Amino acid sequence: MAMASPSERLRSCLRGKEGCTPRGREKEEERIRHVLVQPKSAAAFVAGPPGSGKTHTVRCVVAQGMDGAGTEEVVDVSEERVDIKTLCWINCMSLTQPGDLYRNLLGAMEPTAAAKGKQDAKEAWRGALKAIKSRNGPGKRRCSIVLVLDECDAFMAARVDWLAVVQELCTLVAARCTLKLICVSNSPELAGRLMPPLQKTMSQTDVVIFEAYKTEEIKHVLTDLLQEGGILHWFSPPALQFCAKKIGSQSGDMRYAFCICMRALEGAFGDAAGDGGPGGETAIVEEKRKPVEMEHIHAAFQSNGHGGMAKPSNTITALPLHQRLVLFTLSEGVLASKDKDATMTLLTTLHQHYERNCRKRLVKPLSFQQVAAACKDLSDAGLVQVHKPRNKKVGDTAYKLCRVVDVRAALERSRLTMK
C-alpha cells in the first residue's frame, strides 16, 4: 500500500479531524449553535478577520445538524440539538442581482421547482413557499431552513441594496417556515445595519465576533495538530515559536500559518517532501533528516514575498469598511493620474470623492475629522503616506497611496472596484 508523502501528511494534519471545530473557537461555536437550536426563527452575524476560523466553525455546526436531518423529532433546546431540514449556503461574491438570491434558495428548498428561463425567480420562490406551507398543514411541524450568507462584505460594495433584499426575504420566509440565518463577514460594521431590522421578525439575534489568533494560540494550535498527526518531531520548537510570533504580531491568520509550515517543510525536506510511494516516508525517517528550523520558516516567509509580514490582501480586506473606501478613493486618483508615483490627494478633495463613493454604495459617510482619523490609521498600517503642510491646516494635508498593486488586488477581491 502506497504511503502518503510528507506534504500530504502535513496537509492532512493541519486540516484536523473532519467535522471538528477549529481549536480555540469552542465558545463561538456554542453561540452559533444556540441560535440554530431556537424553536423559532433566529439569526446570527459572524464577523472576524480572515483566517480566524469563521467559515470553518459555521460549517462544522451546520454539518453536525445535517447529520440528523432525516428525523422528525422536535428540536430540544435543552440538549442543544440542531435539526436542519434544508440548507442553502450562498457565497455573496457570486450574487449580481436579487433574483440570484431567490434562485439559490429555491433550488435548495424545491429543486424540481427551480425557476427556468425567463421565469421570475422571486415569484417561483413564493409559490414554493406556499406549497410548503400547504403541505405542512395546521398542527404539523414547520419546515426548518438554514440560510448561510458567506462573504457578506460584498453587499457593501454593490450598487444593489442587498440589506433590504435580505430583510425582505427573511420576513417572507419566517412567516411560513422556521428560518435560521447566518451571515459571515470580515467586518462587524455590517451587523449594525442588518441585525436591528431583523429583530422584528426573528425571535433571537446574536453577533458573534471572532478575534484574530494571538501568538500563543497559534503556537498551541500548530503543536496540537502536529502532535495528533504524529509528526511534531518534524518541526523544532523554536521554528514553531518563530512562525507563531511573526503571524501573531501581524494578522493572526491561521491559514497563513498553515501555508508557511507547508512551505517550510518543502524547503527543509526538498524533493522528498512530495515523494509518496511504498518507501517515500520511510526513507526520510531512516535518513533522520533534521527537523524544520527557524531558517526554513524565515525562507518560507521570504518566498511568500512579504518578508514575514501579513499578506497584504488579508490585511486590507480585514480593515473596516470606511478605511477600505478611503483606500479605494485614493486608488481612483492613482488610476486617473499619468504619474502614478507622484499622485498626492488633499484631504478636502479626498473627503469629497469619498462621500460620492459612499452615496453610490448606500453607505452613510464619515465626517471630515473621522476621515482624517481613518487616514492616520491607514498611515500607521503602512498603506498611506501622509504629507503635512507647513501652514498646519488639516484640509491641506496630502495623502499618497502605498503598495498600489496590493491595494487594488484586495479591493477587487471585495468588489469595491466595481462601478
Side-chain angles (χ1 to χ4, degrees):
M1 181 179 178
M3 299 183 67
S5 68
S7 293
E8 291 172 346
R9 278 199 63 184
L10 177 59
R11 188 177 293 107
S12 177
C13 287
L14 296 179
R15 287 199 193 104
K17 295 180 180 179
E18 187 175 355
C20 290
T21 305
R23 285 175 171 65
R25 299 308 185 198
E26 291 76 14
K27 293 182 179 179
E28 291 83 354
E29 177 196 19
E30 287 304 314
R31 292 178 62 181
I32 297 171
R33 186 188 305 279
H34 185 65
V35 170
L36 290 179
V37 299
Q38 294 303 308
K40 297 182 179 180
S41 296
F45 191 95
V46 181
S52 58
K54 305 182 300 296
T55 302
H56 190 176
T57 302
V58 173
R59 285 190 184 278
C60 290
V61 176
V62 171
Q64 292 165 11
M66 292 298 292
D67 289 340
T71 64
E72 291 296 331
E73 301 175 6
V74 178
V75 176
D76 187 351
V77 181
S78 62
E79 296 181 0
E80 294 291 301
R81 182 176 179 278
V82 184
D83 187 9
I84 301 173
K85 292 299 180 185
T86 302
L87 170 65
C88 182
W89 190 295
I90 300 176
N91 188 316
C92 299
M93 300 289 286
S94 65
L95 301 177
T96 57
Q97 55 185 355
D100 295 339
L101 181 59
Y102 290 101
R103 191 172 291 106
N104 277 275
L105 187 55
L106 175 63
M109 294 169 54
E110 295 284 328
T112 58
K116 299 179 180 180
K118 296 183 179 180
Q119 183 182 3
D120 186 82
K122 185 176 181 180
E123 291 303 319
W125 177 76
R126 283 175 180 268
L129 278 181
K130 293 179 180 178
I132 290 175
K133 186 177 181 180
S134 62
R135 284 202 306 267
N136 286 342
K140 292 187 178 180
R141 185 180 175 187
R142 287 156 61 95
C143 177
S144 176
I145 300 174
V146 173
L147 173 60
V148 181
L149 299 178
D150 200 3
E151 300 287 355
C152 285
D153 302 85
F155 287 165
M156 306 301 290
R159 300 186 66 177
V160 176
D161 189 359
W162 282 107
L163 299 185
V165 173
V166 173
Q167 291 163 12
E168 179 189 18
L169 182 145
C170 292
T171 302
L172 293 173
V173 176
R176 296 172 173 84
C177 307
T178 301
L179 172 66
K180 307 299 171 54
L181 173 68
I182 302 179
C183 299
V184 185
S185 170
N186 290 334
S187 174
E189 295 178 353
L190 187 60
R193 297 181 57 194
L194 177 62
M195 302 307 281
L198 292 181
Q199 293 176 354
K200 300 177 182 179
T201 55
M202 300 293 184
S203 63
Q204 179 175 339
T205 58
D206 192 10
V207 178
V208 184
I209 302 297
F210 281 65
E211 301 292 341
Y213 282 97
K214 297 180 176 59
T215 298
E216 287 304 312
E217 292 174 332
I218 295 175
K219 180 183 176 182
H220 289 155
V221 170
L222 291 176
T223 302
D224 290 346
L225 291 174
L226 293 173
Q227 191 167 16
E228 283 185 3
I231 57 174
L232 182 59
H233 59 283
W234 289 4
F235 291 80
S236 68
L240 293 179
Q241 177 67 28
F242 179 63
C243 177
K245 187 174 182 180
K246 277 285 187 180
I247 296 175
S249 63
Q250 297 296 331
S251 65
D253 187 339
M254 187 62 70
R255 288 178 301 191
Y256 190 35
F258 293 165
C259 174
I260 291 299
C261 288
M262 289 293 301
R263 288 178 179 267
L265 179 75
E266 293 169 357
F269 287 6
D271 294 337
D275 291 341
E281 183 183 352
T282 306
I284 294 177
V285 176
E286 290 177 352
E287 291 177 19
K288 296 183 179 179
R289 288 182 179 271
K290 294 183 179 180
V292 175
E293 300 289 353
M294 287 180 60
E295 57 264 26
H296 301 122
I297 298 291
H298 179 72
F301 278 116
Q302 295 297 326
S303 66
N304 199 56
H306 310 303
M309 296 289 287
K311 292 186 291 185
S313 60
N314 281 0
T315 302
I316 295 165
T317 54
L319 291 173
L321 171 66
H322 289 281
Q323 291 187 18
R324 283 184 282 136
L325 282 171
V326 169
L327 287 177
F328 170 62
T329 305
L330 286 170
S331 70
E332 283 185 315
V334 172
L335 293 178
S337 173
K338 294 181 179 179
D339 186 3
K340 293 180 172 52
D341 295 328
T343 300
M344 304 294 294
T345 306
L346 295 178
L347 181 57
T348 51
T349 305
L350 172 63
H351 187 254
Q352 291 174 358
H353 291 282
Y354 156 81
E355 285 186 322
R356 180 199 64 192
N357 288 326
C358 285
R359 287 193 295 268
K360 284 183 177 180
R361 291 161 178 81
L362 305 177
V363 176
K364 183 179 179 181
L366 299 177
S367 66
F368 184 83
Q369 294 296 334
Q370 288 174 323
V371 171
C375 289
K376 183 180 182 303
D377 293 337
L378 292 172
S379 174
D380 294 339
L383 298 173
V384 170
Q385 288 183 3
V386 182
H387 295 265
K388 296 184 178 180
R390 294 183 179 179
N391 58 17
K392 297 183 179 181
K393 291 184 179 180
V394 178
D396 291 339
T397 304
Y399 299 91
K400 179 182 178 181
L401 187 65
C402 305
R403 297 159 70 176
V404 177
V405 176
D406 293 332
V407 170
R408 291 295 300 184
L411 294 177
E412 287 175 0
R413 180 180 172 186
S414 61
R415 291 197 172 186
L416 277 178
T417 56
M418 293 181 63
K419 299 296 183 180

